[in-house]
Amino acid sequence: MKIVVCVKRVPDTATKIKVGAEGNVIDTKDVEFIPSPYDELAVEYAVRIQENQSDVEVVIVTLGPAEASTEKVLRRCLAIGANRAILIESAGTDHDPYVIASALANTIKEESPDLLLFGIQAIDDDYGQVSSITSALLDMPLLWGVSEPLELGGSTVKGRCEVDGGVEILESSFPCAASIKGSITDIRMCPLIKIRRASKKEIKNVSAQLEDSALSVEKLELPAERVGGRIVGQGADAVPELFRLLREEAKVL
Amino acid sequence: MTTANCIEESKKNQENHENPSEKTEKKTKKKAPFSFMKSAFAGDIAEEIIFPYPQQSKEEKEETQLFLKELDKFCRENIDGAQIDLDAKIPPEVIQGLADLGVFGLTVPEEYDGLDVSYTFFCQAIGIIPRYCASLAATVVAHLSIGTKALYMFGTEDQKKRYYPKLVTGEWIAAFSLTEPQAGSDASGIKTSAKLSEDGKHYVLSGEKIYVTNGGFASFFTVFAKINSGDEEEKGFTAFIVTKDMHGVSIGKEEKKLGLKGSSTTPLLLDNVKVPVDNILGQKGKGFKIAMEVLNTGRLGLGGICAGGVKKAIEGSVQYATQRRQFGMSLSEFGLIQKKIARMGVLTFAMDSAVYLTAGLADRKDIDFSVESAICKVFTTECAWEIINETVQIFGGSGFIADYPYERALRDARITMIFEGTNEILRLFIALAGMRNVGEYFKKLGQAINQPLQSLGFLYEYFSGQVISSFVKEKINNASAQLSSEAAIVQKYIPLLNQAVEKSIRTHKKEVIHQQFILERVANMAISIYTLAACISRVDSSLRQGKTEADLDQEFTMLKTYAFIAEASLQENYQSLTNNCDKEIQKVSAFLCAAEGYPLPDVI
């Protein structure tokens, strides 16, 4: 069985985000990237399937700039236990979900996986659409929001999917896709020996012609910093100044 | 270690390394790498050794970063430093977790299922652990840095095959046993004896070792003992592998300590222990050299621990200082607190710079870094003590309360200035190891004067060229122009260090080894020179990687601040070589010792 896992690199949750000079992307300089946590769980889950069955290959596919920080994210996935990785080179990751999904689908088609795994959503933009669009483009059924390990039969896959207000039990034939929710497994400790082995695994860079995004980010803004209160003055004399500030500065009157 | 030992230690570190004074005659040949600091003592700025600042390869950097993240996560989730301190015991599952991560294999060759990481990697990794539990860090480095190091450096293939399988998994913990009740700093005074059995198959070891870190649960001991055979070759002492299962090995009572309570410290008692001759590490009689070489790298590791560990104290200090409000302001708005915070940052910058420069030198494997690693040990342990002490001060009353981790940190940090060579002994070592080269040159000069005809060329060189200045490099050419005022300090004080050394040798001749007041000042100068040079090289390398001064605003500001601190210390130590109250100090000390206490009656 071949499992392809789609992984997105996202800023580490501990990173202090800065808006870039263009005003609509984050400044990635000095940002540490990690695999998006749901995607990382999908990798871990795929590796656990591999450990319990013979002849399972786990391939990571990501889209992003060909630079050290992206490679580090892939090495991390390889250290968890994936066999190899493919990097679809693109200047950034700020494309709309359709553009990303088309690029992924083009590459994944050549791999023809039996099982295609996604994290349910990336933790940076939270679109949660790439899994649906990619599997639609590949004409693969999608088990969306799988919360427990899949039942992998000889020719079918059964999954428990959490939807709003209930649970769906879905069954599909191979090949099929699934997007993974947090509770499916947990990430194990990664010993240095596995990290070292990962450094020898293959990362293949492929180039992609990306379509133009239909959706674009106009502007990014950090939440306004909270400012403490201030004492304008004391007694009746301060009232006019207080009114002026409430009207002109705070604009609440 | 006595002064005499310092000299012996300095001698052995010099083997295989060319004496710089001999290089004069072979100027045209490519210089063999030597030691930056030993060259500095001779007045030579061997800048090619420290420029460019060492860098990890891209692959190694990636591997290191991924591992550090993993190790940090494990420590954060599984280690309760306060509980370990309270119980005076590290839970076995913590040791097991570290073993699963591969920590016990860090310094084991790959062919024995180890990971054999570089010193640069190693220092970073062990810098993570003390942020959560210093006792655990001590336990781990006692195993990796000193307990198994002699096996790594001097073990035979057979010995490695026998012991690594258990050591690499953490199933066996290792310990280093040198100190004895009568032999602390003066290691050459050890009494533990080793006598060859009649059949020649065993050495029978008897004696008592004390303050053995990991003693309580170690199974593998690197033990130093004296073979009393009368053979000149075997004089001095010898390193043996002793295992806990050998008959006659027993472990004494666990010591109660000021800090590092979670680590184990016990005596090791050897009562006619039959140790197979195959268990000798390295050559017979070369135990001192082995011990010193092990401690050499051990000191660098301790530097990694201190430079890493203090970052947790800094985090705590800064968090508290920005949140705690008094007089309507946060503490961080007060100048006297800013001073403390800034100094913490700047010292850490210098510690990191020195430790990772030295680690890079150690990784080259062709360079003598003994003085540099001793400098790292003295500098980082004293900085760590100051930083933690100031953290307690910033926290005020809370810092003194055991609900906060800083009283524990202070207790834990105290031993670092004592073990792996007290900072006093190491200062003597730094000064004497550096002076030795200059001394050698003088010896040659002495010979030349006795045999003037044969040595005309040499004498001519001496009288015409002011001894060493005829061949030394006195300028730093490699540092970027933006760093010239900091480089100028190093450039100014290396010749002054050399002058001070020359003058002391001329004045005191052989007796210089007993001039501890002078040696300490010389060592302090060396420490400031090396740490500042390390900072300069570090910033220089960032500039050369294409960063601008604006990008490096933080680094530049820290460098400037540290240069100020280092220069002040250099000035003070240099001036006090001539302007001091050493005589009074000796007299006052004598008064107190004679009176067996404070000598004067109560003032009122």
Side-chain angles (χ1 to χ4, degrees), chain A residues 72 75-76 190 192 196, chain B residues 62 65 70 101 110 115:
Chain A
K72 203 168 108 189
R75 290 286 169 214
R76 161 77 193 148
C190 187
L192 179 53
R196 182 162 296 174
Chain B
E62 201 172 83
Q65 286 177 352
E70 209 58 35
L101 274 171
E110 279 184 305
L115 298 146

Side-chain angles (χ1 to χ4, degrees), chain A residues 15 48 98 177 180 199 240:
Chain A
T15 304
R48 288 186 189 229
Y98 179 80
I180 302 297
S199 69

Side-chain angles (χ1 to χ4, degrees), chain B residues 83 90 109 140-141 236 261 275 376 424 500 540 583 593:
Chain B
Q83 198 60 45
I90 297 165
V140 169
V141 294
K261 287 176 191 266
V275 180
C376 284
E424 287 75 14
D540 177 70
K583 289 215 167 66
C593 291

Side-chain angles (χ1 to χ4, degrees), chain B residues 379-406:
Chain B
F379 183 70
T380 60
T381 55
E382 288 173 9
C383 286
W385 175 252
E386 182 185 338
I387 289 170
I388 295 166
N389 192 28
E390 289 291 38
T391 300
V392 170
Q393 192 71 15
I394 289 175
F395 272 80
S398 307
F400 197 66
I401 305 290
D403 290 345
Y404 292 82
Y406 306 108

Side-chain angles (χ1 to χ4, degrees), chain B residues 568-586:
Chain B
S569 158
L570 282 161
Q571 240 164 29
E572 189 198 323
N573 280 291
Y574 183 69
Q575 283 166 5
S576 63
L577 280 164
T578 42
N579 183 12
N580 58 52
C581 60
D582 292 353
K583 289 215 167 66
E584 289 75 12
I585 289 173
Q586 281 177 314

